[in-house]
């Protein structure tokens, strides 16, 4: 088959994602509870297509930044056994991220530079800070090149401390919600960006991650769960972002590693895409979760990158965006992850023209190398 005329339609993908930043369409009502994450996928797609500056105005970007900062909250945790010395927690809540029906709120812009974080003190018992939203808010702010002067680092550290469970896992919010490897990953990614692991028990968390390893070689969301691509990425990335002193505890045995590699490689289907579970159909998001997992294991050479790109080409919608499979409705999640996969599993030449060139991606933080560098440089605790 000739791939000579295949194009990656970056402009349409950027336009598709930009529309979500002005308001989630009614047909995507199910995305409402994770708006901060949707915002990250949209801003991430604009970052990956390198069209953020040319497709959006300064006032729009300022408005989105201010809006994200308004989601930073602080308050006391509500726990049945709460002692009076309990520390407050901070971080970011999920929220109506993309509202542009009001002029951008720039109320902080005239205030003098201060090291004191500006934090809205809402009632966090109904609206608590959330680990995944904190991770996505931080990366969104890094994409928008915010200087993080307003970040309440103490609050974020306290959130990490308050969400870690006795078995090493983390809940999404203090004392509530599921505890699984997605939360461990976001906690580890935040510690990596802050360059501060003091708030959490890393060894316990590594034991929890390893308890999610399955007989197939992939990882489940929690112990005794079926191996799936997303959790496998979360576990492998977590085991790689830890500080050097935990490296030997965090490494897999050679036998485990080989099994993981085999399972991931087998997930690449004959059509070029990856499935997330053994013998299922390919889905665009697993081109990132499984592809990045292999990259983290330094086994990217085992991936058929051109077949993967060809599958993702077919998942592109004519209106822009990627669906989970060819001819499916596009959404920001699959759009961002498809672009992230293509940034990682690079194809050029022999029919793949310059439209397929994308900036390099940091597979551990899941952001462009430039954005990841910005985040690490500006978040580092002083
Ligand atoms: Zn998917």
């Amino acid at each position: 088959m000739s791939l000579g005329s295949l194009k990656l339609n970056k402009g349409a993908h950027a336009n598709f994602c930009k529309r979500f930043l002005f308001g989630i369409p009614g047909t995507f009502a199910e995305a409402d509870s994770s708006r901060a994450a949707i915002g990250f996928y949209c801003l991430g797609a604009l970052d990956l297509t390198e069209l953020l500056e040319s497709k959006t105005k300064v006032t729009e970007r300022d408005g989105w930044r201010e809006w994200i900062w308004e989601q930073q909250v602080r308050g006391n945790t509500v726990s049945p056994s709460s002692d009076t010395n309990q520390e407050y927690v901070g971080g970011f809540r999920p929220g109506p991220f993309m509202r542009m029906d009001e002029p951008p709120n720039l109320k902080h812009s005239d205030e003098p530079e201060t090291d004191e974080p500006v934090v809205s003190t809402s009632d966090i018992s109904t609206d608590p800070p959330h680990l995944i939203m904190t991770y996505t808010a931080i990366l969104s702010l890094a994409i928008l090149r915010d200087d993080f002067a307003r970040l309440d680092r103490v609050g974020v550290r306290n959130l990490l401390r308050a969400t870690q469970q006795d078995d090493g896992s983390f809940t999404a919010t203090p004392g509530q919600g599921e505890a699984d490897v997605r939360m461990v990953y976001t906690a580890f990614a935040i510690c990596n960006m802050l360059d501060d692991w003091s708030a959490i028990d890393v060894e316990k968390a590594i034991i929890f991650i390893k308890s999610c390893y399955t007989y197939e070689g992939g990882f489940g969301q929690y112990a005794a769960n079926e191996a799936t691509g997303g959790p496998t990425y979360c576990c492998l990335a977590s085991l790689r972002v830890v500080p050097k002193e935990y490296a030997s505890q965090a490494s897999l045995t050679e036998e485990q590693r080989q099994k993981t590699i085999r399972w991931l490689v087998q997930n690449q289907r004959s059509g070029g895409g990856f499935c997330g579970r053994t013998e299922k159909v390919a889905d665009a998001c697993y081109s990132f979760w499984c592809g990045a997992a292999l990259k983290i294991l330094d086994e990217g050479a085992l991936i058929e990158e051109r077949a993967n790109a060809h599958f993702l080409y077919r998942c592109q919608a004519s209106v822009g965006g990627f669906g989970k499979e060819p001819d499916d409705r596009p959404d920001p999640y699959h759009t961002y992850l498809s672009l992230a996969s293509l940034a990682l599993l690079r194809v050029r030449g022999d029919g793949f023209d310059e439209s397929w060139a994308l900036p390099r991606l940091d597979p551990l933080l899941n952001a462009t190398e430039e954005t990841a560098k910005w985040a690490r440089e500006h978040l580092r605790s002083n």
Side-chain angles (χ1 to χ4, degrees):
M1 188 189 327
S2 164
L3 305 181
S5 60
L6 302 189
K7 290 267 177 227
L8 177 63
N9 203 349
K10 282 184 203 160
H13 301 322
N15 287 338
F16 173 79
C17 287
K18 187 186 163 187
R19 280 200 294 277
F20 279 75
L21 290 168
F22 291 98
I24 296 176
T27 48
F28 281 85
E30 74 278 7
D32 214 50
S33 59
S34 52
R35 290 189 186 188
I38 304 288
F40 164 65
Y41 301 135
C42 293
L43 290 168
L46 285 160
D47 201 18
L48 277 168
T49 53
E50 299 181 292
L51 293 170
L52 179 64
E53 303 238 324
S54 61
K55 291 268 184 196
T56 67
K57 300 190 185 99
V58 174
T59 50
E60 291 167 347
R61 299 197 292 275
D62 285 346
W64 296 326
R65 277 175 52 208
E66 292 308 313
W67 208 93
I68 298 166
W69 281 118
E70 285 171 17
Q71 309 320 310
Q72 184 175 224
V73 291
R74 68 156 54 161
N76 291 315
T77 50
V78 185
S79 137
S81 59
S82 62
D83 60 69
T84 46
N85 293 324
Q86 205 166 20
E87 289 171 300
Y88 82 95
V89 296
F92 294 79
R93 63 185 175 189
F97 178 82
M98 276 112 345
R99 195 188 54 196
M100 289 298 288
D101 51 355
E102 291 173 10
N105 179 352
L106 298 169
K107 67 185 173 198
H108 305 304
S109 62
D110 300 335
E111 291 173 5
E113 284 288 308
T114 166
D115 289 339
E116 194 60 31
V118 179
V119 182
S120 91
T121 48
S122 69
D123 175 8
I124 67 151
S125 64
T126 55
D127 215 4
H130 186 292
L131 274 184
I132 296 177
M133 300 307 150
T134 300
Y135 158 81
T136 54
I138 287 173
L139 282 183
S140 295
L141 288 165
I143 291 167
L144 294 165
R145 302 297 186 253
D146 190 274
D147 65 5
F148 292 100
R150 288 183 248 169
L151 184 69
D152 179 4
R153 290 174 172 76
V154 174
V156 171
R157 275 200 294 275
N158 291 345
L159 175 67
L160 293 166
R161 194 174 292 120
T163 47
Q164 190 167 25
Q165 307 298 294
D166 290 340
D167 67 356
S169 67
F170 291 79
T171 51
T173 60
Q176 297 172 31
E178 315 153 272
D180 62 53
V181 296
R182 292 171 306 161
M183 270 51 93
V184 178
Y185 167 69
T186 47
F188 275 30
I190 293 166
C191 291
N192 176 276
M193 291 188 278
L194 288 171
D195 194 25
D196 181 352
W197 297 75
S198 62
I200 69 170
D201 187 328
V202 182
E203 291 187 10
K204 262 192 183 175
I206 292 173
I207 291 168
F208 175 77
I209 292 169
K210 291 197 165 178
S211 76
C212 300
Y213 186 81
T214 70
Y215 72 95
E216 290 187 286
F219 290 77
Q221 195 115 298
Y222 8 75
N225 228 243
E226 184 186 5
T228 313
T232 300
Y233 166 82
C234 288
C235 290
L236 294 174
S238 297
L239 294 174
R240 271 297 272 274
V241 293
V242 294
K244 281 196 191 71
E245 61 262 39
Y246 300 103
S248 70
Q249 200 204 336
S251 62
L252 299 175
T253 66
E254 191 48 31
E255 194 188 337
Q256 286 174 323
R257 204 180 100 85
Q258 290 304 330
K259 232 174 166 182
T260 306
I261 293 166
R262 195 180 324 126
W263 181 75
L264 287 165
V265 168
Q266 280 169 358
N267 283 349
Q268 187 165 22
R269 311 299 290 165
S270 54
F274 284 82
C275 60
R277 288 183 291 155
T278 303
E279 295 299 323
K280 300 288 183 202
V281 295
D283 171 333
C285 64
Y286 294 111
S287 287
F288 176 77
W289 300 127
C290 295
L294 280 165
K295 279 284 199 183
I296 289 168
L297 291 168
D298 301 317
E299 296 291 346
L302 297 173
I303 301 168
E304 291 194 39
E305 291 163 345
R306 301 169 65 80
N308 178 62
H310 190 253
F311 172 76
L312 293 176
Y313 166 78
R314 291 167 54 226
C315 295
Q316 292 186 113
S318 54
V319 294
F322 290 74
K324 70 176 160 50
E325 52 191 41
D327 302 319
D328 209 30
R329 179 182 77 160
D331 63 73
Y333 172 79
H334 289 96
T335 302
Y336 173 74
L337 291 172
S338 297
L339 291 167
S341 170
L342 291 168
L344 213 49
L345 313 179
R346 308 171 76 76
V347 286
R348 285 300 294 280
D350 289 333
F352 289 97
D353 65 11
E354 66 281 0
S355 70
W356 295 83
L358 294 164
R360 296 205 169 268
L361 192 91
D362 180 326
L364 296 178
L365 288 187
N366 190 4
T368 62
E369 285 184 355
E370 288 283 300
T371 294
K373 183 166 175 262
W374 180 278
R376 288 189 175 111
E377 280 177 8
H378 291 81
L379 259 95
R380 198 153 288 189
S381 303
N382 300 318

